Coordinates of all heavy atoms in Angstrom, one line a residue:
M903 N 0.8 -1.2 0.0 CA 0.0 0.0 0.0 C 0.9 1.3 0.0 O 1.8 1.3 0.8 CB -0.9 0.0 1.2 CG -2.1 0.9 1.1 SD -2.7 1.5 2.6 CE -3.8 0.1 3.1
K904 N 0.5 2.2 -0.9 CA 1.3 3.4 -0.9 C 0.7 4.5 0.0 O -0.5 4.7 0.1 CB 1.3 3.9 -2.4 CG 2.4 3.3 -3.2 CD 2.5 3.9 -4.6 CE 3.5 3.3 -5.5 NZ 3.5 3.8 -6.8
M905 N 1.6 5.2 0.6 CA 1.2 6.3 1.4 C 0.9 7.6 0.6 O 1.7 7.9 -0.3 CB 2.2 6.6 2.5 CG 2.4 5.5 3.5 SD 2.0 5.9 5.2 CE 2.8 7.4 5.5
K906 N -0.1 8.3 0.9 CA -0.3 9.6 0.2 C 0.3 10.8 0.9 O -0.3 11.4 1.7 CB -1.8 9.8 0.0 CG -2.4 8.8 -0.9 CD -3.9 9.1 -1.2 CE -4.5 8.2 -2.2 NZ -5.9 8.3 -2.3
I907 N 1.6 10.9 0.6 CA 2.4 12.0 1.2 C 1.9 13.4 0.9 O 2.0 14.3 1.7 CB 3.9 11.9 0.8 CG1 4.4 10.5 1.2 CG2 4.7 12.9 1.5 CD1 4.6 10.3 2.7
K908 N 1.4 13.5 -0.3 CA 1.0 14.9 -0.8 C 0.0 15.5 0.2 O 0.2 16.7 0.6 CB 0.3 14.7 -2.1 CG 0.9 15.5 -3.2 CD 0.1 15.4 -4.5 CE 0.8 16.2 -5.6 NZ 0.1 16.1 -6.9
R909 N -0.9 14.8 0.7 CA -1.9 15.3 1.6 C -1.3 15.8 2.9 O -1.6 16.8 3.4 CB -2.9 14.2 1.8 CG -4.0 14.6 2.8 CD -5.3 14.4 2.2 NE -6.3 15.2 2.8 CZ -7.6 15.2 2.5 NH1 -8.0 14.4 1.6 NH2 -8.5 15.9 3.2
W910 N -0.4 15.0 3.4 CA 0.3 15.3 4.6 C 1.0 16.6 4.6 O 1.0 17.4 5.5 CB 1.2 14.1 5.0 CG 1.8 14.3 6.3 CD1 1.3 13.9 7.5 CD2 3.1 14.8 6.6 NE1 2.2 14.2 8.5 CE2 3.3 14.8 8.0 CE3 4.1 15.4 5.8 CZ2 4.4 15.2 8.6 CZ3 5.3 15.8 6.4 CH2 5.4 15.8 7.8
Q911 N 1.6 16.8 3.4 CA 2.4 18.1 3.2 C 1.5 19.3 3.3 O 1.8 20.3 3.8 CB 3.1 18.1 1.9 CG 4.4 17.2 2.0 CD 5.1 17.1 0.7 OE1 4.5 17.2 -0.4 NE2 6.4 16.9 0.7
A912 N 0.3 19.2 2.7 CA -0.6 20.3 2.7 C -1.0 20.7 4.1 O -1.1 21.9 4.4 CB -1.9 19.9 1.9
V913 N -1.1 19.7 5.0 CA -1.5 20.0 6.3 C -0.4 20.8 7.0 O -0.6 21.7 7.9 CB -1.8 18.7 7.1 CG1 -2.1 19.0 8.6 CG2 -3.0 18.1 6.5
A914 N 0.9 20.5 6.6 CA 2.0 21.1 7.3 C 2.2 22.5 7.0 O 3.1 23.2 7.5 CB 3.3 20.3 7.0
V915 N 1.4 23.1 6.0 CA 1.6 24.4 5.6 C 1.0 25.5 6.6 O 1.3 26.6 6.5 CB 0.9 24.7 4.2 CG1 0.9 26.1 3.8 CG2 1.6 23.8 3.2
W916 N 0.3 25.0 7.6 CA -0.2 25.8 8.6 C 0.9 26.7 9.2 O 1.9 26.3 9.5 CB -0.7 25.0 9.8 CG -2.2 24.7 9.7 CD1 -2.8 23.6 9.1 CD2 -3.2 25.5 10.2 NE1 -4.1 23.7 9.2 CE2 -4.4 24.8 9.8 CE3 -3.3 26.7 10.9 CZ2 -5.7 25.4 10.2 CZ3 -4.5 27.2 11.2 CH2 -5.7 26.6 10.9
K917 N 0.6 28.0 9.3 CA 1.6 28.9 9.8 C 1.3 29.3 11.2 O 0.1 29.6 11.6 CB 1.8 30.1 8.9 CG 0.5 30.9 8.6 CD 0.9 32.1 7.8 CE -0.4 32.9 7.6 NZ -0.2 34.3 7.2
W918 N 2.3 29.4 12.0 CA 2.1 29.7 13.4 C 3.0 30.9 13.7 O 3.8 30.9 14.7 CB 2.4 28.6 14.3 CG 1.4 27.5 14.2 CD1 1.5 26.3 13.5 CD2 0.1 27.5 14.8 NE1 0.4 25.6 13.6 CE2 -0.5 26.3 14.4 CE3 -0.6 28.4 15.7 CZ2 -1.8 25.9 14.8 CZ3 -1.9 28.0 16.1 CH2 -2.5 26.8 15.6
D919 N 2.9 32.0 12.9 CA 3.6 33.2 13.2 C 3.1 33.8 14.5 O 2.0 33.5 14.9 CB 3.4 34.3 12.1 CG 4.0 33.8 10.8 OD1 4.9 33.0 10.9 OD2 3.5 34.2 9.8
L920 N 3.9 34.6 15.2 CA 3.4 35.3 16.3 C 2.3 36.2 15.9 O 2.4 37.0 15.0 CB 4.6 36.1 17.0 CG 5.5 35.3 17.9 CD1 6.6 36.2 18.4 CD2 4.7 34.7 19.0
P921 N 1.2 36.2 16.6 CA 0.1 37.0 16.2 C 0.3 38.5 16.4 O 1.0 38.9 17.3 CB -1.1 36.5 17.1 CG -0.4 35.9 18.3 CD 0.9 35.4 17.8
D922 N -0.2 39.3 15.4 CA -0.2 40.7 15.5 C -1.2 41.1 16.6 O -2.1 40.4 16.9 CB -0.7 41.3 14.2 CG 0.5 41.9 13.4 OD1 1.2 42.6 14.1 OD2 0.5 41.7 12.2
E923 N -1.0 42.3 17.2 CA -1.9 42.8 18.1 C -3.3 42.9 17.5 O -4.3 42.6 18.2 CB -1.5 44.2 18.6 CG -2.2 44.8 19.7 CD -1.9 44.1 21.0 OE1 -1.1 43.2 21.1 OE2 -2.6 44.5 22.0
D924 N -3.4 43.2 16.2 CA -4.6 43.3 15.5 C -5.3 41.9 15.3 O -6.5 41.9 15.0 CB -4.4 43.9 14.2 CG -4.1 45.4 14.3 OD1 -4.2 45.9 15.4 OD2 -3.7 46.0 13.3
D925 N -4.6 40.9 15.4 CA -5.1 39.6 15.1 C -5.6 38.8 16.3 O -5.9 37.6 16.2 CB -4.1 38.7 14.4 CG -3.8 39.3 13.0 OD1 -4.7 40.0 12.5 OD2 -2.7 39.1 12.5
V926 N -5.5 39.4 17.5 CA -5.9 38.7 18.7 C -7.1 39.4 19.3 O -7.3 40.6 19.2 CB -4.8 38.7 19.8 CG1 -3.6 37.9 19.2 CG2 -4.4 40.1 20.2
C927 N -7.9 38.6 20.0 CA -9.1 39.0 20.7 C -8.6 39.9 21.9 O -7.8 39.4 22.6 CB -9.9 37.8 21.2 SG -11.2 38.2 22.3
G928 N -9.2 41.1 22.0 CA -8.7 42.0 23.1 C -9.1 41.5 24.5 O -8.7 42.0 25.5
I929 N -10.0 40.5 24.5 CA -10.4 40.0 25.8 C -9.6 38.7 26.3 O -9.1 38.7 27.4 CB -11.9 39.7 25.8 CG1 -12.7 41.0 25.5 CG2 -12.4 39.0 27.1 CD1 -14.2 40.8 25.2
C930 N -9.6 37.7 25.4 CA -8.9 36.5 25.8 C -7.5 36.4 25.2 O -6.7 35.6 25.6 CB -9.7 35.3 25.4 SG -9.7 35.0 23.6
R931 N -7.1 37.3 24.3 CA -5.8 37.3 23.7 C -5.5 36.1 22.8 O -4.3 35.8 22.5 CB -4.7 37.5 24.8 CG -4.8 38.7 25.5 CD -4.1 39.9 24.8 NE -4.6 41.2 25.2 CZ -4.4 42.3 24.6 NH1 -3.7 42.3 23.5 NH2 -4.9 43.4 25.0
N932 N -6.5 35.3 22.5 CA -6.3 34.3 21.5 C -6.5 34.9 20.1 O -7.2 35.8 19.9 CB -7.4 33.2 21.7 CG -7.0 32.3 22.9 OD1 -6.0 32.4 23.5 ND2 -8.0 31.5 23.3
V933 N -5.8 34.3 19.2 CA -5.9 34.8 17.8 C -7.3 34.5 17.3 O -8.0 33.6 17.7 CB -4.9 34.1 16.9 CG1 -3.5 34.6 17.2 CG2 -5.0 32.6 16.9
F934 N -7.7 35.3 16.3 CA -9.1 35.2 15.7 C -9.2 33.9 14.9 O -10.3 33.4 14.6 CB -9.4 36.4 14.9 CG -9.6 37.6 15.7 CD1 -9.0 38.8 15.5 CD2 -10.5 37.6 16.8 CE1 -9.2 39.9 16.3 CE2 -10.7 38.7 17.6 CZ -10.1 39.9 17.3
D935 N -8.0 33.4 14.4 CA -8.0 32.2 13.7 C -8.4 31.0 14.6 O -8.8 30.0 14.2 CB -6.7 31.9 13.1 CG -6.4 32.7 11.8 OD1 -7.4 33.3 11.3 OD2 -5.3 32.8 11.3
G936 N -8.2 31.2 15.9 CA -8.5 30.2 16.8 C -9.9 30.5 17.5 O -10.7 31.3 16.9
C937 N -10.1 30.0 18.6 CA -11.4 30.2 19.3 C -11.2 30.7 20.7 O -10.1 30.8 21.2 CB -12.3 28.9 19.3 SG -11.4 27.5 20.0
C938 N -12.3 31.1 21.3 CA -12.2 31.6 22.7 C -11.8 30.4 23.6 O -11.9 29.3 23.2 CB -13.5 32.2 23.1 SG -14.8 31.0 23.5
P939 N -11.4 30.7 24.9 CA -11.0 29.6 25.8 C -12.1 28.6 26.1 O -11.8 27.5 26.5 CB -10.6 30.4 27.1 CG -10.3 31.8 26.6 CD -11.2 32.0 25.5
D940 N -13.3 29.0 25.9 CA -14.4 28.1 26.2 C -14.7 27.1 25.1 O -15.4 26.1 25.3 CB -15.7 28.9 26.5 CG -15.6 29.6 27.8 OD1 -14.7 29.3 28.6 OD2 -16.3 30.6 28.0
C941 N -14.2 27.4 23.9 CA -14.5 26.5 22.8 C -13.4 25.6 22.4 O -12.2 26.0 22.7 CB -15.0 27.4 21.6 SG -16.6 28.2 21.8
K942 N -13.7 24.6 21.7 CA -12.6 23.6 21.3 C -12.2 23.8 19.9 O -11.1 23.5 19.5 CB -13.0 22.2 21.6 CG -13.1 21.9 23.1 CD -13.1 20.4 23.4 CE -13.0 20.2 24.9 NZ -14.0 20.9 25.7
S943 N -13.2 24.2 19.0 CA -12.8 24.4 17.6 C -13.3 25.7 17.1 O -14.4 26.2 17.4 CB -13.5 23.2 16.8 OG -14.9 23.2 17.0
P944 N -12.4 26.4 16.3 CA -12.8 27.7 15.8 C -13.8 27.5 14.6 O -14.0 26.4 14.2 CB -11.5 28.3 15.3 CG -10.6 27.1 15.0 CD -11.1 26.0 16.0
G945 N -14.4 28.6 14.2 CA -15.3 28.5 13.0 C -16.7 28.9 13.5 O -16.9 29.7 14.3
D946 N -17.7 28.2 12.9 CA -19.1 28.5 13.2 C -19.4 28.4 14.7 O -20.3 29.1 15.2 CB -20.0 27.6 12.4 CG -19.9 27.9 10.9 OD1 -19.3 29.0 10.6 OD2 -20.3 27.1 10.1
D947 N -18.7 27.5 15.4 CA -19.1 27.3 16.8 C -18.6 28.5 17.6 O -19.1 28.7 18.7 CB -18.4 26.0 17.3 CG -19.0 24.8 16.7 OD1 -20.1 24.9 16.2 OD2 -18.4 23.7 16.8
C948 N -17.7 29.2 17.1 CA -17.2 30.3 17.9 C -17.0 31.6 17.0 O -15.9 31.9 16.6 CB -15.8 29.9 18.5 SG -15.2 31.1 19.8
P949 N -18.1 32.2 16.7 CA -18.1 33.3 15.8 C -17.4 34.6 16.3 O -17.3 34.7 17.6 CB -19.6 33.6 15.5 CG -20.3 33.1 16.7 CD -19.5 32.0 17.3
L950 N -17.1 35.5 15.5 CA -16.5 36.7 15.8 C -17.6 37.8 15.8 O -18.6 37.6 15.1 CB -15.4 37.1 14.9 CG -14.2 36.1 14.8 CD1 -13.2 36.7 13.8 CD2 -13.6 35.9 16.1
I951 N -17.4 38.8 16.6 CA -18.4 39.9 16.5 C -17.6 41.3 16.4 O -16.6 41.5 17.0 CB -19.3 39.9 17.8 CG1 -20.4 41.0 17.7 CG2 -18.5 40.1 19.1 CD1 -21.5 40.8 18.7
W952 N -18.1 42.1 15.4 CA -17.5 43.4 15.2 C -18.3 44.4 15.8 O -19.5 44.4 15.8 CB -17.5 43.7 13.7 CG -16.3 43.1 12.9 CD1 -15.3 43.8 12.5 CD2 -16.1 41.8 12.5 NE1 -14.4 43.0 11.8 CE2 -14.9 41.7 11.8 CE3 -16.8 40.6 12.6 CZ2 -14.4 40.6 11.3 CZ3 -16.3 39.4 12.1 CH2 -15.1 39.4 11.4
G953 N -17.6 45.4 16.4 CA -18.3 46.5 17.0 C -18.2 47.7 16.0 O -17.4 47.7 15.1
Q954 N -19.1 48.7 16.2 CA -19.1 49.9 15.4 C -17.8 50.7 15.6 O -17.4 51.5 14.8 CB -20.3 50.7 15.6 CG -21.5 50.1 14.9 CD -22.8 51.0 15.1 OE1 -22.7 52.1 15.7 NE2 -23.9 50.6 14.5
C955 N -17.2 50.4 16.7 CA -15.9 51.1 17.0 C -14.7 50.4 16.3 O -13.6 50.8 16.5 CB -15.6 51.1 18.5 SG -15.5 49.4 19.2
S956 N -15.0 49.4 15.5 CA -14.1 48.6 14.7 C -13.3 47.6 15.5 O -12.4 47.0 14.9 CB -13.1 49.6 13.9 OG -12.1 50.0 14.8
H957 N -13.6 47.4 16.7 CA -12.9 46.3 17.5 C -13.6 45.0 17.2 O -14.8 45.0 17.0 CB -12.9 46.7 19.0 CG -11.9 47.8 19.3 ND1 -12.3 48.9 19.9 CD2 -10.6 47.9 19.0 CE1 -11.2 49.7 20.0 NE2 -10.2 49.1 19.5
V958 N -12.8 44.0 17.2 CA -13.4 42.6 17.0 C -13.1 41.7 18.2 O -12.0 41.8 18.7 CB -12.7 42.0 15.7 CG1 -13.5 40.8 15.3 CG2 -12.7 43.0 14.6
F959 N -14.0 40.9 18.5 CA -13.9 40.0 19.6 C -14.5 38.6 19.2 O -15.3 38.6 18.4 CB -14.5 40.5 20.9 CG -14.1 41.9 21.3 CD1 -14.8 43.0 21.0 CD2 -12.9 42.0 21.9 CE1 -14.4 44.2 21.3 CE2 -12.4 43.3 22.3 CZ -13.2 44.4 22.0
H960 N -14.1 37.6 20.0 CA -14.9 36.4 19.9 C -16.3 36.7 20.5 O -16.3 37.4 21.6 CB -14.3 35.3 20.7 CG -12.9 34.8 20.2 ND1 -11.8 35.1 20.9 CD2 -12.6 34.2 19.1 CE1 -10.8 34.6 20.2 NE2 -11.2 34.1 19.1
M961 N -17.3 36.3 19.9 CA -18.6 36.6 20.5 C -18.8 36.1 21.9 O -19.3 36.8 22.7 CB -19.7 36.0 19.6 CG -21.1 36.5 20.0 SD -22.4 35.7 19.1 CE -22.3 36.5 17.5
H962 N -18.3 34.9 22.2 CA -18.4 34.4 23.5 C -17.7 35.2 24.5 O -18.1 35.5 25.7 CB -17.9 32.9 23.6 CG -18.6 32.0 22.7 ND1 -18.0 31.0 22.0 CD2 -19.9 32.0 22.3 CE1 -19.0 30.3 21.3 NE2 -20.1 31.0 21.5
C963 N -16.5 35.7 24.2 CA -15.7 36.6 25.1 C -16.5 37.9 25.3 O -16.6 38.3 26.5 CB -14.4 36.9 24.4 SG -13.3 35.5 24.3
L964 N -17.1 38.4 24.3 CA -17.8 39.7 24.5 C -19.0 39.5 25.3 O -19.3 40.3 26.2 CB -18.1 40.3 23.1 CG -18.7 41.7 23.3 CD1 -17.6 42.7 23.5 CD2 -19.6 42.1 22.2
L965 N -19.7 38.4 25.1 CA -20.9 38.2 25.9 C -20.6 38.0 27.3 O -21.3 38.5 28.2 CB -21.7 36.9 25.3 CG -22.3 37.1 23.9 CD1 -23.0 35.8 23.5 CD2 -23.3 38.2 23.9
K966 N -19.5 37.3 27.6 CA -19.1 37.1 29.0 C -18.7 38.5 29.6 O -19.0 38.8 30.8 CB -17.9 36.2 29.0 CG -18.2 34.8 29.5 CD -17.0 34.0 30.0 CE -16.1 33.7 28.9 NZ -14.9 32.9 29.3
W967 N -18.0 39.3 28.8 CA -17.6 40.6 29.3 C -18.9 41.5 29.6 O -18.9 42.1 30.6 CB -16.7 41.3 28.2 CG -16.6 42.7 28.3 CD1 -17.2 43.7 27.5 CD2 -15.8 43.5 29.3 NE1 -16.9 44.9 28.0 CE2 -16.0 44.8 29.0 CE3 -15.0 43.1 30.3 CZ2 -15.4 45.8 29.7 CZ3 -14.3 44.1 31.1 CH2 -14.5 45.4 30.8
L968 N -19.8 41.4 28.7 CA -21.0 42.3 28.9 C -21.8 41.8 30.1 O -22.6 42.6 30.6 CB -21.8 42.3 27.6 CG -21.2 43.1 26.4 CD1 -22.1 43.0 25.2 CD2 -20.9 44.5 26.8
E969 N -21.7 40.6 30.4 CA -22.4 40.1 31.6 C -21.9 40.6 32.9 O -22.6 40.7 33.9 CB -22.3 38.5 31.7 CG -23.4 37.8 30.8 CD -23.1 36.3 30.7 OE1 -22.3 35.8 31.6 OE2 -23.6 35.7 29.8
Q970 N -20.7 41.1 32.9 CA -20.1 41.7 34.1 C -20.7 43.1 34.2 O -20.7 43.8 33.3 CB -18.6 41.7 34.0 CG -17.9 40.4 33.9 CD -16.5 40.5 33.6 OE1 -15.8 41.5 34.0 NE2 -15.9 39.6 32.8
E971 N -21.1 43.4 35.4 CA -21.7 44.7 35.7 C -20.7 45.8 35.4 O -21.0 46.9 34.9 CB -22.1 44.8 37.1 CG -23.6 45.1 37.2 CD -24.1 45.0 38.7 OE1 -24.0 46.0 39.4 OE2 -24.5 43.9 39.1
S972 N -19.4 45.5 35.7 CA -18.4 46.6 35.5 C -18.2 46.9 34.0 O -17.5 48.0 33.7 CB -17.0 46.1 36.1 OG -16.6 44.9 35.5
S973 N -18.7 46.1 33.1 CA -18.5 46.5 31.7 C -19.4 47.6 31.3 O -19.0 48.4 30.4 CB -18.8 45.2 30.8 OG -20.2 45.0 30.7
R974 N -20.5 47.8 31.9 CA -21.4 48.9 31.6 C -21.8 48.9 30.1 O -22.1 49.9 29.5 CB -20.9 50.2 32.0 CG -20.7 50.4 33.4 CD -19.7 51.6 33.7 NE -19.3 51.6 35.1 CZ -19.8 52.6 35.9 NH1 -20.5 53.6 35.5 NH2 -19.4 52.6 37.2
G975 N -21.7 47.7 29.5 CA -22.1 47.7 28.1 C -21.1 48.3 27.2 O -21.4 48.7 26.0
Q976 N -19.9 48.6 27.7 CA -18.9 49.3 26.9 C -17.9 48.3 26.3 O -17.6 47.2 26.8 CB -18.1 50.2 27.8 CG -19.0 51.3 28.4 CD -18.3 52.1 29.5 OE1 -17.4 51.5 30.2 NE2 -18.7 53.3 29.7
C977 N -17.3 48.8 25.2 CA -16.2 48.0 24.5 C -15.0 48.0 25.5 O -14.6 49.0 26.0 CB -15.8 48.8 23.2 SG -14.3 48.1 22.5
P978 N -14.5 46.8 25.7 CA -13.4 46.7 26.7 C -12.1 47.4 26.2 O -11.2 47.6 27.0 CB -13.1 45.2 26.8 CG -13.8 44.6 25.6 CD -14.9 45.5 25.2
M979 N -12.0 47.7 24.9 CA -10.8 48.3 24.4 C -10.8 49.9 24.5 O -9.8 50.5 24.8 CB -10.6 48.0 22.9 CG -10.6 46.5 22.6 SD -9.1 45.7 23.4 CE -7.9 46.0 22.1
D980 N -12.0 50.5 24.2 CA -12.0 51.9 24.2 C -13.1 52.5 25.1 O -13.3 53.7 25.1 CB -12.2 52.4 22.8 CG -13.4 51.8 22.1 OD1 -14.3 51.4 22.8 OD2 -13.4 51.8 20.8
R981 N -13.8 51.6 25.8 CA -14.8 52.1 26.7 C -15.9 52.9 26.1 O -16.5 53.8 26.7 CB -14.2 52.9 27.9 CG -13.3 52.0 28.7 CD -14.2 51.3 29.7 NE -13.5 50.2 30.4 CZ -14.1 49.4 31.3 NH1 -15.4 49.6 31.6 NH2 -13.5 48.5 31.9
R982 N -16.1 52.7 24.8 CA -17.3 53.4 24.2 C -18.4 52.3 24.3 O -18.2 51.1 24.3 CB -17.0 53.7 22.7 CG -16.1 54.9 22.6 CD -16.1 55.5 21.2 NE -15.2 54.8 20.3 CZ -15.2 55.0 19.0 NH1 -16.1 55.8 18.4 NH2 -14.4 54.3 18.2
P983 N -19.7 52.8 24.3 CA -20.8 51.9 24.3 C -20.6 50.9 23.1 O -20.4 51.3 22.0 CB -22.0 52.8 24.1 CG -21.6 54.1 24.5 CD -20.1 54.2 24.2
F984 N -20.7 49.6 23.5 CA -20.5 48.6 22.4 C -21.8 48.4 21.6 O -22.8 48.0 22.1 CB -20.0 47.3 23.0 CG -19.6 46.3 21.9 CD1 -18.3 46.3 21.4 CD2 -20.5 45.5 21.3 CE1 -17.9 45.5 20.4 CE2 -20.1 44.6 20.3 CZ -18.8 44.6 19.8
V985 N -21.7 48.7 20.3 CA -22.8 48.4 19.4 C -22.2 47.5 18.3 O -21.2 47.8 17.7 CB -23.3 49.7 18.8 CG1 -24.5 49.4 17.9 CG2 -23.7 50.7 19.8
A986 N -22.9 46.4 18.2 CA -22.4 45.4 17.1 C -22.7 46.0 15.8 O -23.7 46.6 15.5 CB -23.2 44.1 17.3
A987 N -21.6 46.0 14.9 CA -21.8 46.4 13.6 C -22.5 45.4 12.8 O -22.3 44.2 12.9 CB -20.4 46.7 13.0
S988 N -23.4 45.8 11.9 CA -24.1 44.8 11.1 C -23.2 44.3 10.0 O -22.5 45.1 9.4 CB -25.4 45.5 10.5 OG -25.1 46.7 10.0
A989 N -23.3 43.0 9.8 CA -22.3 42.4 8.9 C -22.5 42.9 7.4 O -23.5 43.3 7.0 CB -22.5 40.9 8.9
Ligands
LIG712 ZN1 -11.6 36.0 22.8
LIG713 ZN1 -16.2 30.5 21.8
LIG714 ZN1 -13.9 49.4 20.7

């Protein structure tokens, strides 16, 4: 039986550069390519949410943040009232 090496190489192309400040969630500091600490797999299970202030977070992180009274419904990055931007 022959091994299909080609496929294996494609998987190895994944890049793990150090994330830019812009590429990480301001709440959990995980990259947007990944998921929030509560989720196991990125993608549809762990969507991102954009604010009108142009900050982006994992939706789960933001919801957890907004549940805290101290958040006052504000963006954790700039303390402006957080309003989700329509996609
Ligand atoms: Zn996050
Ligand atoms: Zn999540
Ligand atoms: Zn913001």
Side-chain angles (χ1 to χ4, degrees):
M903 201 206 275
K904 275 187 182 175
M905 294 240 313
K906 288 186 179 174
I907 300 290
K908 239 183 182 178
R909 177 124 203 185
W910 185 84
Q911 280 174 332
V913 174
V915 173
W916 267 92
K917 53 174 183 164
W918 290 100
D919 296 332
L920 277 179
D922 253 314
E923 189 73 1
D924 289 348
D925 292 336
V926 300
C927 171
I929 298 172
C930 70
R931 298 277 158 192
N932 284 351
V933 291
F934 290 128
D935 283 348
C937 53
C938 77
D940 290 341
C941 290
K942 291 197 170 56
S943 56
D946 292 345
D947 290 343
C948 191
L950 303 177
I951 186 166
W952 274 257
Q954 284 183 357
C955 60
S956 83
H957 289 122
V958 191
F959 306 99
H960 297 112
M961 188 187 281
H962 298 146
C963 293
L964 187 81
L965 291 178
K966 255 198 293 181
W967 161 256
L968 291 178
E969 273 170 19
Q970 298 171 32
E971 238 171 89
S972 58
S973 75
R974 296 161 187 251
Q976 294 166 335
C977 171
M979 303 295 275
D980 55 22
R981 291 279 167 181
R982 287 197 275 168
F984 189 88
V985 182
S988 45

